[in-house]
Amino acid sequence: MTTKTKQLNRIDLIFKHEDDCKEILKKSFDRSHEEVINEMVNSGLKGRGGAGFPTGLKWKLTSEEKEKTKYVICNADEGEPGTFKDREILTRVPHKVLAGMAMCAKIIGAKEGYIYLRGEYKFLVPQLREELKKFHQIMDELNLDFVVDIFLGSGAYICGEESALFESMEGKRGEPRNKPPYPTQCGYLNKPTVINNVETLAHSYTIMKYGAKKFRELGVKDSWGSKVFSVSGDTPIPGIYELELGMSVQDFVDDFGDGDTKAVQVGGASGFLVPRKRFPKSHIGYQGKLTGVSLPTGGSMMIFNSSRSMYNVLDNYLDFFQEESCGQCTPCRVGCQQLLKGIKAVKRGDKPAAYLDKLLKLTETMRLTAKCGLGQSVANSFSSIVENFREEMIY
Amino acid sequence: MKMTNMINLSINGIAVSVEEGKTILEAAKKLHIHIPTLCYHKDLCVAGNCRVCVVEQAGVDRLVASCATPVNEGMEINTNSLKVRNCRKHIIELLLAEHNEECTKCYRNGHCELQTIAADLQITNQDFIDLVPDKQYSVDSYSPSIEKDDSKCIRCQRCVRTCAEIQSVGAIAVAHKGADMKISTFFNYSLNEVVCTNCGQCIVHCPTGALVEKSYVEQVWDAIADPEKHVVVQTAPAVRVGLGEELGFEPGTRVTSRMVSALRRLGFDSVLDTDFTADLTIMEEGTELLTRLKGALLDDNPEVSLPMATSCSPGWVKYIEHKYPQYLPNLSTCKSPQQMFGALAKTYYAKNIDVDPANIVSVSIMPCTAKKYEANRPEMKDSGYKDVDFVLTTRELAVMIKQAGIEFEQLNEENFDSIMGIGSGAGIIFGATGGVMEAALRTAYEIVTGREVPFENLEIKPVRGLAGVKEAVVPIVDVLPEWSFLEGVELKCAITNGLENAHQLMEAIDRGDRFYHFIEIMACPGGCLGGGGQPFPVDDEIRQKRMDAIYSEDLSLALRKSHENPEIVQIYKDFLEKPLSHKSHKLLHTSYVKRQPY
Ligand SMILES: Cc1cc2nc3c(=O)[nH]c(=O)nc-3n(C[C@H](O)[C@H](O)[C@H](O)COP(=O)(O)O)c2cc1C
Ligand code: SF4
Ligand code: SF4
Ligand code: SF4
Ligand code: SF4
Ligand code: FES
C-alpha cells in the first residue's frame, strides 16, 4: 500500500547520456586555472563522499602547493552498507568521472591519478580498463600528461577514509593518519593529493559543461545541486535516484515510504536516524542556514516501517562498527565494544536503563576524541536511536 | 642558516613561544605542564592512537591529540578543562576494560605507565563492562628472552614501531581490526620461531607488562641456596651505569663497586667481571682482524671476507643470520664476552679454584635480553656443560637486590674477585656504541706499530657518540717490520647502533657504495647501555648520561688497554697459549647458521 502524496523532482544530470567529454575538457583547458577554480568555487559543490568539504576549495588549496608531484584520486571504495550509487555511476558514466579527474589534474598539476576501487567491484575492472584506453587517447589528443590507473581495495570499510586509503595504497595497513596535515598538503606518498568521491568528480564535469550558475539552479543555500541517493529498506521502489538537495525527510518519505514509515536512517550506519515526528523539520543537505536540522549523507537512505525493531537496527550498526573500526584508537576500538555489550546488557536487564545515559556520555567522548570520522560518528546513530527509541532499547 | 619561525600560543592561560613544527605536547613540556601520554615515545614516530593526551583548543569543538598536533600562531589550549578531564578518564577506563588488571601479579607493577596514569586520575570505579572474559588472550612464553602477554596490551603499537623503525626487523605487527585488533607475529607464531632478534627493544619501549623479559630470578635463587653449587656471576660493563636508575640513583651514576658488594651479599660465591672477557675478545678479535688483513692484503687470498664485523651483540648476530646470511663469513668467529666467560668459567676457572665444573653454576648480569637467547644456543656448550646457565637483566638484578632487602645506597664499595675479575678501561667501553672499535684500535694499533693510538688520552673521539652511523679512517704508518704489508694502509671502519642503522650500512656495503675493513655493529640504540634489559624509561638523554658514565669510568682507570690486563697476560701464559690458538678456537670461537628471512 502506498499513500503517495507528492513526488520529488527526478533529476537527470549525472546519468544523462553525454558523449562530449573531449570537447568539454578542451573548453576547460583553454580557460585559465583561476577561471576554472572560480567556477568550481562558485558552484558551491560539496564533496559527495559524506564529509561535504567544498570541492573548489580543495582543488584550490592543492593547486597552491609548491610540490612538483601531486595526485588525483577517485574514492570508489563505497563501503557504507546500503550504498551502491558509486558503482552505478562508474558503470554507466565512467567517462564523466574521468573527465572530472582530468580537469582537477590540469588545475593542480598532477600527472598521475588513481581510482581506488572497492575490492567487491572487481568485476568493473575490464570495462573500466576499456574506458581508460579511450580516456588516455583523449589525454594524448589534448596534450595533457595525465595517466589514470586502477587500485583495487582490500575490502576493509575503513580504507574508504581518505588517509587510511593512502596508507592502503602505499602497501601499509589501512589505518587513518593524524590530521593535520591534510591530503591537500600531504596525501598519497606524502604528496599533495586531491581525493574526491566518484560522484563529486562526475558533478565537476557537469559544472564545467553547464556552468556554476546552472548547477545552482538546483538545491538550496549551502547545499547546491543534486545528489544521487541509494534508497533501500521498507520502500516499494528501492534503487538509485538523483534528487535535489534540501528536500525535507517528510517529502522524501511521502515519495519513497510504504505509508507506514517509522524512521529513516540518513547517511548509513554513521549517519542519523530521523524519527517520524522529526520528518518535517529535517532536511537533507549540509550544515548551513536551513531551518531545522540538516543531515549530510554519502547517499544512503534507509527506510524503516513500524515492524522494525530499532534495537535490532542499532545492534546491527554497532556490530558493524566494532568489526570495521581499524582498532588503532582507544575510544573507537573499546568504545564500540562497550556500546554493543552495553545495549545488550540493558536489554537483558543486567544493567539498569540509566546505563544508557552512561553510554550516551561515552559516545560523546568518542565523538570528541576518536582519531577519524568512523569513531567520531558512531555517536550519530547511537544517540539518535537511543534518544528517540529509548523504550525499544529497554523492553 | 635558515631561521626557524617561533610560534606564540597559550596553554592554560600561560603564554609560550616554541619553534614552528613543534607539537602542543612539546610546548606544554616547556611550561612544565604535564599531559599524560601512552602511545607517544620520544624515540618513535608519532602514532596518535591512544588518545590519552587529548586537549581542548579554543574554537575547535573536538579535542585534539597534543602529541600529534603542531602548534599554530595564537592557539589557545586548555589541558585541564572539564571536557578534557572527562574524556581522559573515559579513555583510561576503556583501556582498563580491555585489560587484565592484576597489578599485584604483574612484572611491571610499580613501573607501568598505564598504572601510573590510572593512579594519577584516581580511577577507583569501573562502570564499563569487563571485556577480558570474552577475549581469547594468550601468553607467548616460548622465547628464552621475551614473554608476550596480550592481556596486558593496550595496543599502543610502540613495540611495532620500535621493531620496525629502530630495529628494521618487523617481527611484530598489527593483526586483525576492530575488537580483534592485536599485536601479532608472522602467522601468530611464537617469538622464538620468527625473525625476532630477542633484542628486547620492544620491552623497553612498551608502557605496560605486555612485553617483559623471561625471568630466571627464581632459578638463580635456587642455585645460590644449593650448598653443592659454586655460583659465579659475571657483570657486563653497561650494567654498572644503568643499575643505579632502578635503585634510587640519577641516570648516569656509576655504581660498580656498590654493585659488587650487593652481588656478594646476595650470596654469589664469586663476583667476576665480563670486562675481563671483553679484553680477551679484543685479543682474539684484534688478532683475527690482523689475520684477515694479512690474508687479503699480503696473500691476496680470495677466501678472506672483509669487512670483518663484530659478533658480540647476539641480537645483531641473529639479525644477520636471518637477513644477510650471505655475509656470515664476514662475522668474526669470536664469541661474545659473555660466552667466552661462560666457557672459561667451567674450564680455566674451575681448574684454578679446583671445583668440579659440574657443580659450577654460571650466571651473568646483562643489559640485554638477547644474551638470554645466546646462552641457550645449542652450540654454546664448549666447556662440556652449558657455558652460561642463567642470564639476568639489569632489571632482574635490581629485583633480587630489593627482594634481599639490601639498602643499595648504604653499601660499601668493594672490588671484584679474581681470577677473571680484572678488566681494563677498554673492556668497560664495550658497553657503548663504538667501544669495541676503540678498544680494538687501542690494542691492534699498538701491536702493529709499537706505539699508542695517536689520540689524546687514548680517547678515539670519532667513534664515540650516539650517532646512528659513524665512520673513521685510521692511517697506519711506521709499522713494525713483521707488519710491513700494513704500511700506509688506511684502515676504514664504520660503527652503527640500532639495527635499522645496521640495515642501512649493510645495504650500502652490498651495493658497493662503501668499503670498510672493520665494522662494529650493536643491535641496540647507543650500544649495550641502551640494551633491552636496561631500566625503564629510556631516551637519548638517558642514553647519553649512561654513555658519559662509561667513558668516565674508562678514564678513571689506570689500566686502559686490553693487552696490558695482567689477567689476560696470565691466561695466555697459563692456559690459552696465544690468540687464535687451538684451545682458543675450541673455547672462544663459534659458528653461525643461516635462518629464514621472516
Ligand atoms: C570510515 C569512513 C569511510 C569512508 N568511506 C568513503 C567511501 O567509501 N567513499 C568516499 O568517497 N568517501 C568515503 N569517506 C570520506 C573520505 O574520507 C573523504 O572525505 C572523501 O573521499 C572526500 O571526497 P569528497 O570531498 O568528494 O566527498 C569515508 C570516511 C570515513 C571516515
Ligand atoms: S576512530 Fe576507529 S577507525 Fe578511526 S582511527 Fe580510531 S579506531 Fe581506527
Ligand atoms: S600492565 Fe600495568 S596496569 Fe596492567 S596489570 Fe601490569 S602493572 Fe597493572
Ligand atoms: S625483541 Fe627486538 S626483534 Fe624481537 S620483537 Fe622485540 S624489538 Fe623486534
Ligand atoms: S605490547 Fe606493549 S608496546 Fe606493544 S602495543 Fe601492547 S602495550 Fe603497546
Ligand atoms: S600520546 Fe597522544 S595519542 Fe597517544
Side-chain angles (χ1 to χ4, degrees), chain B residues 561-574:
Chain B
K561 296 178 235 161
S562 301
H563 56 279
E564 290 176 355
N565 180 339
E567 287 196 336
I568 292 292
V569 177
Q570 184 189 356
I571 193 173
Y572 279 114
K573 189 162 138 273
D574 296 350

Side-chain angles (χ1 to χ4, degrees), chain B residues 288-578:
Chain B
E288 183 184 355
L289 176 66
L290 292 174
T291 310
R292 286 194 193 217
L293 290 175
K294 178 165 180 286
L297 301 176
L298 186 66
D299 309 337
D300 266 335
N301 181 353
E303 303 274 289
V304 172
S305 302
L306 286 176
M308 185 175 91
T310 58
S311 57
C312 30
S313 168
W316 152 242
V317 169
K318 189 151 184 274
Y319 181 81
I320 188 174
E321 287 179 329
H322 282 290
K323 304 260 180 171
Y324 295 97
Q326 70 275 29
Y327 284 97
L328 285 177
N330 295 62
L331 209 50
S332 160
T333 58
C334 288
K335 286 181 184 172
S336 72
Q338 160 178 283
Q339 291 307 131
M340 288 197 181
F341 193 103
L344 294 174
K346 295 189 181 181
T347 53
Y348 174 64
Y349 174 84
K351 209 167 101 198
N352 198 279
I353 61 159
D354 198 19
V355 172
D356 179 357
N359 283 330
I360 289 188
V361 175
S362 115
V363 175
S364 67
I365 315 290
M366 293 286 142
C368 178
T369 49
K371 290 273 197 287
K372 290 173 187 274
Y373 158 81
E374 184 187 35
N376 282 298
R377 285 180 73 121
E379 65 272 22
M380 293 297 175
K381 290 187 181 129
D382 290 326
S383 64
Y385 304 87
K386 192 177 175 209
D387 293 338
V388 174
D389 292 288
F390 304 112
V391 180
L392 305 183
T393 60
T394 310
R395 298 186 294 263
E396 286 172 281
L397 173 58
V399 167
M400 288 185 78
I401 292 172
K402 287 180 195 164
Q403 287 176 340
I406 295 170
E407 285 188 26
F408 194 70
E409 304 98 291
Q410 306 301 326
L411 288 176
N412 292 331
E413 313 216 330
E414 296 176 9
N415 291 326
F416 287 103
D417 293 313
S418 189
I419 52 171
M420 293 175 41
I422 298 180
S424 73
I428 301 269
I429 60 175
F430 263 58
T433 166
V436 177
M437 180 65 67
E438 181 166 346
L441 290 176
R442 284 184 194 173
T443 290
Y445 191 90
E446 207 165 313
I447 290 177
V448 171
T449 65
R451 302 183 309 274
E452 281 192 344
V453 278
F455 289 90
E456 197 184 338
N457 279 334
L458 299 175
E459 293 181 318
I460 309 183
K461 291 270 164 73
V463 306
R464 295 187 176 188
L466 286 175
V469 181
K470 293 165 281 185
E471 292 180 320
V473 178
V474 184
I476 304 179
V477 284
D478 294 336
V479 297
L480 298 173
E482 52 187 307
W483 302 102
S484 57
F485 67 91
L486 284 173
E487 182 64 44
V489 167
E490 298 205 311
L491 193 69
K492 294 194 170 64
C493 309
I495 301 116
T496 72
N497 62 100
L499 290 171
E500 163 60 19
N501 294 317
H503 165 75
Q504 296 299 343
L505 183 74
M506 291 308 289
E507 290 297 311
I509 291 172
D510 200 53
R511 282 193 307 266
D513 290 355
R514 280 281 186 277
F515 173 81
Y516 304 103
H517 296 101
F518 187 29
I519 55 178
E520 179 209 291
I521 301 188
M522 293 293 155
C524 291
C528 305
L529 58 88
Q534 292 282 67
F536 312 105
V538 72
D539 57 25
D540 267 343
E541 206 178 305
I542 292 173
R543 282 186 282 262
Q544 185 62 52
K545 288 182 178 160
R546 293 176 187 163
M547 183 175 275
D548 295 343
I550 283 202
Y551 287 118
S552 83
E553 183 122 335
D554 167 41
L555 207 56
S556 75
L557 296 177
L559 183 61
R560 311 251 329 269
K561 296 178 235 161
S562 301
H563 56 279
E564 290 176 355
N565 180 339
E567 287 196 336
I568 292 292
V569 177
Q570 184 189 356
I571 193 173
Y572 279 114
K573 189 162 138 273
D574 296 350
F575 186 68
L576 292 171
E577 295 162 32
K578 62 177 198 312

Side-chain angles (χ1 to χ4, degrees), chain A residues 2 9 13 43 48 59 78 90 115 133 159 163 175 182 192 197 244 249 261 276 280 285 303 324 355 386 393:
Chain A
T2 52
N9 233 354
L13 278 173
S43 75
R48 300 302 198 229
W59 292 16
E78 197 164 54
L90 282 175
I115 300 173
K133 255 189 228 159
C159 290
S163 63
E175 279 186 0
Y182 293 94
N197 174 255
E244 231 178 299
V249 176
T261 303
R276 189 180 289 147
I303 303 177
E324 293 300 331
Y355 191 65
V386 169
M393 300 300 120

Side-chain angles (χ1 to χ4, degrees), chain A residues 31-216:
Chain A
R31 300 168 73 183
S32 75
H33 288 181
E34 206 181 352
E35 262 182 88
V36 177
I37 286 181
N38 283 341
E39 191 83 54
M40 288 299 291
V41 171
N42 291 338
S43 75
L45 173 64
K46 290 186 179 176
R48 300 302 198 229
F53 191 82
T55 307
L57 180 59
K58 190 183 274 193
W59 292 16
K60 182 168 190 262
L61 290 173
T62 314
S63 73
E64 285 163 0
E65 287 294 324
K66 295 275 176 293
E67 274 281 348
K68 253 199 154 117
T69 312
K70 299 179 186 178
Y71 298 99
V72 181
I73 293 174
C74 165
N75 190 342
D77 196 45
E78 197 164 54
E80 188 80 51
T83 324
F84 34 94
K85 50 117 187 157
D86 291 340
R87 181 186 68 194
E88 201 65 15
I89 296 172
L90 282 175
T91 308
R92 289 166 55 189
V93 288
H95 52 286
K96 295 190 184 177
V97 178
L98 290 171
M101 290 180 78
M103 271 164 43
C104 177
K106 169 87 176 162
I107 288 169
I108 68 166
K111 294 190 168 54
E112 282 175 52
Y114 293 91
I115 300 173
Y116 187 98
L117 189 67
R118 174 179 183 174
E120 285 85 341
Y121 294 172
K122 196 172 166 186
F123 63 90
L124 285 176
V125 172
Q127 64 202 73
L128 281 176
R129 289 241 178 267
E130 276 307 304
E131 198 59 43
L132 281 174
K133 255 189 228 159
K134 284 188 251 165
F135 173 74
H136 289 138
Q137 178 73 37
I138 297 177
M139 289 298 97
D140 274 352
E141 288 162 16
L142 295 178
N143 255 325
L144 185 68
D145 179 11
F146 180 58
V147 183
V148 174
D149 203 354
I150 301 170
F151 188 98
L152 211 55
S154 61
Y157 168 61
I158 191 59
C159 290
E161 195 281 337
E162 52 199 23
S163 63
L165 184 148
F166 302 144
E167 291 284 298
S168 149
M169 284 182 68
E170 290 170 15
K172 294 180 246 164
R173 183 181 154 82
E175 279 186 0
R177 300 174 180 169
N178 292 302
K179 290 177 199 167
Y182 293 94
T184 50
Q185 274 184 296
C186 181
Y188 176 50
L189 298 176
N190 296 331
K191 300 291 180 199
T193 304
V194 165
I195 175 161
N196 272 133
N197 174 255
V198 172
E199 183 187 344
T200 313
L201 290 162
H203 279 298
S204 323
Y205 157 84
T206 308
I207 291 165
M208 267 319 112
K209 177 164 177 181
Y210 300 103
K213 198 155 164 261
K214 175 102 177 148
F215 184 78
R216 288 169 72 121

Side-chain angles (χ1 to χ4, degrees), chain B residues 38-39 148-150 152-162 172 181 183 202-203 205-211:
Chain B
L38 278 171
C39 66
K148 174 168 168 286
D149 180 350
D150 293 344
K152 309 272 186 200
C153 173
I154 58 165
R155 296 151 178 87
C156 65
Q157 304 189 34
R158 269 158 61 164
C159 55
V160 175
R161 282 175 281 150
T162 301
I172 41 183
M181 183 269 210
I183 308 303
C202 51
I203 298 178
H205 288 89
C206 176
T208 70
L211 284 164

Side-chain angles (χ1 to χ4, degrees), chain B residues 136-153 159-160 171-175 181-192 194 196 202-203 206 208-214:
Chain B
Q136 262 120 43
Y137 283 137
S138 60
V139 181
D140 171 13
S141 54
Y142 293 105
S143 157
S145 298
I146 295 167
E147 255 181 42
K148 174 168 168 286
D149 180 350
D150 293 344
S151 74
K152 309 272 186 200
C153 173
C159 55
V160 175
I172 41 183
V174 179
M181 183 269 210
K182 63 175 270 187
I183 308 303
S184 186
T185 52
F186 184 72
F187 279 116
N188 206 19
Y189 289 159
S190 165
L191 276 169
N192 70 332
V194 296
C196 169
C202 51
I203 298 178
C206 176
T208 70
L211 284 164
V212 302
E213 69 258 51
K214 179 77 144 272

Side-chain angles (χ1 to χ4, degrees), chain B residues 31-153:
Chain B
L31 289 176
H32 302 288
I33 293 172
H34 178 70
I35 300 172
T37 57
L38 278 171
C39 66
Y40 173 80
H41 194 290
K42 263 195 194 162
D43 285 352
L44 305 170
C45 77
V46 169
N49 61 32
C50 76
R51 315 306 283 177
V52 173
C53 71
V54 287
V55 296
E56 191 168 346
Q57 179 183 350
V60 177
D61 176 32
R62 278 198 281 269
L63 302 183
V64 299
S66 58
C67 71
T69 310
V71 292
N72 272 329
E73 187 63 34
M75 217 179 205
E76 291 171 36
I77 297 294
N78 192 334
T79 69
N80 191 33
S81 67
L82 192 59
K83 204 163 158 185
V84 170
R85 275 204 308 276
N86 287 341
C87 285
R88 195 182 276 160
K89 186 150 179 277
H90 259 162
I91 287 168
I92 295 296
E93 284 176 359
L94 289 175
L95 284 174
L96 294 178
E98 260 189 339
H99 191 83
N100 170 20
E101 314 152 65
E102 292 186 321
C103 292
T104 51
K105 291 185 217 154
C106 182
Y107 190 85
R108 286 297 286 267
N109 191 2
H111 293 273
C112 169
E113 295 177 34
L114 177 62
Q115 191 187 45
T116 306
I117 297 177
D120 287 352
L121 300 188
Q122 283 278 299
I123 309 265
T124 50
N125 57 329
Q126 178 57 291
D127 291 341
F128 291 125
I129 294 169
D130 184 8
L131 300 171
V132 177
D134 287 344
K135 302 258 172 197
Q136 262 120 43
Y137 283 137
S138 60
V139 181
D140 171 13
S141 54
Y142 293 105
S143 157
S145 298
I146 295 167
E147 255 181 42
K148 174 168 168 286
D149 180 350
D150 293 344
S151 74
K152 309 272 186 200
C153 173

